């Protein structure tokens, strides 16, 4: 950057480095600088939508639409993200995700977006058909962790230096009750992370919250307190940068409950839902188990289920009667059995 201060690739790597240190305000400033220097940057606009789609939906959608002509796949992925993150409009997000699938049916990034959309509304068989590479993700979302674990173990052994592979396995261990094995992998990745926040393994900072709960359960109170403080510091920086997400707030709910502060946990969970939380797994997390029958939690869960049922119905209308890519992909016959077209 000293030689060429507007070299987009170097600016992007600098932004990634800022993220790893938890300097979110500088990272977002760098991202804005990237799209200012090169308004046609594909990666710049993809990143802009990923980070700012929920807080700046109008600008993000304009960027996404501009991408469609230049790079249809990137434009479709960006449009899908805006509608999922900013509006929680799963059917519109699905429309664009399917268009991305038509452009590049083997791309793991866009395929994972499709998997999440189908799996969150319970269409697990449709989700499973999207990608053999990420089929384990369907098992993780559906709660069949044991089916995913064997695949994730093989991947982690084959790629020991890949943080995502290790954290995916750690999450599988954690959710199947193998806490000591999970903690070993979580802490190994924590030591590699400048900010101390373990985010990844498909689940962002929920992964870090799982680590905190596991530390509490295994009697590592001092380490758990340090890890909880790291998460809260990172969350405050995300909020200052204007990019705090529903998962960030859900992670604070999990950590608060791990510490025994049920009132704070429920407050953060409500804020997470209001921010757009539509991930049913949060309510099934071990860290939230003690609140499973709490009236406030049940109320939030019922609201989310109602929202997901509405989106599910809209998604079925799309794929059963207005499929945007009929020559590339068709829903399973049983998916549309009994679905009546709305007039």
């Amino acid at each position: 950057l000293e030689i060429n201060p507007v070299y987009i690739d170097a600016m992007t790597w600098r932004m990634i480095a800022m993220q790893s240190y938890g300097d979110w305000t500088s990272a977002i400033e760098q991202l804005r600088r990237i799209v200012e220097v090169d308004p046609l940057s594909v990666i710049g606009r993809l990143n802009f939508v990923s980070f700012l789609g929920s807080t700046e939906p109008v600008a993000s959608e304009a960027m996404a639409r501009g991408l469609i002509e230049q790079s249809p796949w990137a434009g479709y992925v960006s449009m899908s993200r805006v509608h999922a993150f900013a509006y929680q409009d799963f059917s519109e997000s699905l429309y664009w995700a399917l268009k991305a699938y038509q452009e590049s049916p083997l791309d793991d990034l866009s395929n994972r977006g499709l998997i999440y959309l189908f799996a969150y509304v319970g269409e697990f068989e449709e989700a499973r058909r999207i990608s053999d590479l990420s089929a384990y993700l369907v098992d993780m979302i559906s709660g069949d962790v044991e089916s995913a674990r064997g695949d994730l173990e093989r991947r982690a052994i084959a790629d020991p230096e890949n943080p995502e592979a290790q954290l995916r396995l750690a999450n599988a261990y954690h959710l199947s009750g193998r806490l000591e094995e999970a903690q070993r992998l979580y802490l190994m990745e924590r030591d590699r992370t400048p900010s101390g926040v373990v985010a990844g393994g498909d689940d962002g900072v929920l992964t870090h919250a799982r680590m905190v709960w596991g530390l509490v359960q295994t009697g590592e109170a001092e380490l758990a307190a340090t890890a909880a403080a790291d998460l809260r510091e990172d969350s405050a920086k995300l909020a200052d940068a204007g990019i705090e997400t529903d998962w960030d707030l859900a992670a604070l709910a999990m950590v608060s409950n791990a510490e025994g502060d049920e009132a704070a946990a429920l407050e953060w969970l409500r804020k997470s839902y209001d921010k757009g939380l539509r991930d049913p797994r949060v309510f099934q997390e071990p860290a939230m188990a003690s609140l499973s029958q709490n009236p406030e939690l049940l109320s939030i869960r019922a609201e989310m289920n109602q929202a997901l049922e509405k989106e599910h119905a809209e998604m079925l209308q799309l794929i059963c009667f207005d499929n945007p890519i009929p020559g590339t992909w068709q829903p399973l016959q049983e998916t549309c059995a009994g679905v009546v077209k709305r007039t």
Side-chain angles (χ1 to χ4, degrees), residues 140-184:
M140 293 292 288
I141 297 173
S142 68
D144 188 8
V145 178
E146 285 302 308
S147 293
R149 183 172 55 80
D151 184 22
L152 294 175
E153 284 178 333
R154 288 188 291 273
R155 296 186 191 202
I157 291 170
D159 197 358
E161 297 303 314
N162 183 339
E164 276 297 290
Q166 304 307 313
L167 289 177
R168 286 166 182 164
L169 179 57
N171 282 334
Y173 283 150
H174 176 90
L175 294 171
S176 58
R178 297 167 61 167
L179 297 186
E180 291 186 0
E181 291 165 283
Q183 292 307 114
R184 178 180 61 82

Side-chain angles (χ1 to χ4, degrees), residues 185-250:
L185 294 173
Y186 285 146
L187 293 173
M188 180 177 68
E189 294 308 318
R190 181 175 183 265
D191 289 342
R192 299 181 183 181
T193 306
S195 69
V197 175
V198 181
D202 301 318
D203 296 333
V205 291
L206 298 184
T207 296
H208 190 93
R210 289 170 182 154
M211 179 183 72
V212 172
W213 184 84
L215 290 169
V216 171
Q217 296 302 305
T218 54
E220 299 284 353
E222 185 175 346
L223 193 51
T226 300
D230 288 340
L231 180 68
R232 290 191 170 99
E233 181 181 357
D234 191 62
S235 179
K237 291 178 180 178
L238 287 164
D240 288 343
I243 56 172
E244 196 173 41
T245 70
D246 57 297
W247 267 2
D248 296 314
L249 299 174

Side-chain angles (χ1 to χ4, degrees), residues 69-209:
E69 184 174 347
Q70 180 185 355
S71 173
W73 174 85
Y76 297 150
V77 169
S78 297
M79 287 294 289
S80 180
R81 289 181 170 183
V82 170
H83 285 280
F85 299 162
Y87 306 121
Q88 293 78 55
D89 186 343
F90 280 20
S91 58
E92 186 69 15
S93 180
L94 178 62
Y95 171 87
W96 294 106
L98 287 170
K99 297 276 283 183
Y101 181 80
Q102 183 179 42
E103 287 293 319
S104 185
L106 298 180
D107 186 90
D108 193 47
L109 177 65
S110 50
N111 285 345
R112 294 167 77 80
L114 262 178
I115 287 171
Y116 278 114
L117 286 168
F118 279 129
Y120 278 1
V121 299
E123 290 292 350
F124 300 123
E125 293 310 310
E126 293 294 0
R128 201 177 303 279
R129 299 169 59 212
I130 297 300
S131 167
D132 290 338
L133 181 63
S134 294
Y136 77 89
L137 188 56
V138 184
D139 294 324
M140 293 292 288
I141 297 173
S142 68
D144 188 8
V145 178
E146 285 302 308
S147 293
R149 183 172 55 80
D151 184 22
L152 294 175
E153 284 178 333
R154 288 188 291 273
R155 296 186 191 202
I157 291 170
D159 197 358
E161 297 303 314
N162 183 339
E164 276 297 290
Q166 304 307 313
L167 289 177
R168 286 166 182 164
L169 179 57
N171 282 334
Y173 283 150
H174 176 90
L175 294 171
S176 58
R178 297 167 61 167
L179 297 186
E180 291 186 0
E181 291 165 283
Q183 292 307 114
R184 178 180 61 82
L185 294 173
Y186 285 146
L187 293 173
M188 180 177 68
E189 294 308 318
R190 181 175 183 265
D191 289 342
R192 299 181 183 181
T193 306
S195 69
V197 175
V198 181
D202 301 318
D203 296 333
V205 291
L206 298 184
T207 296
H208 190 93

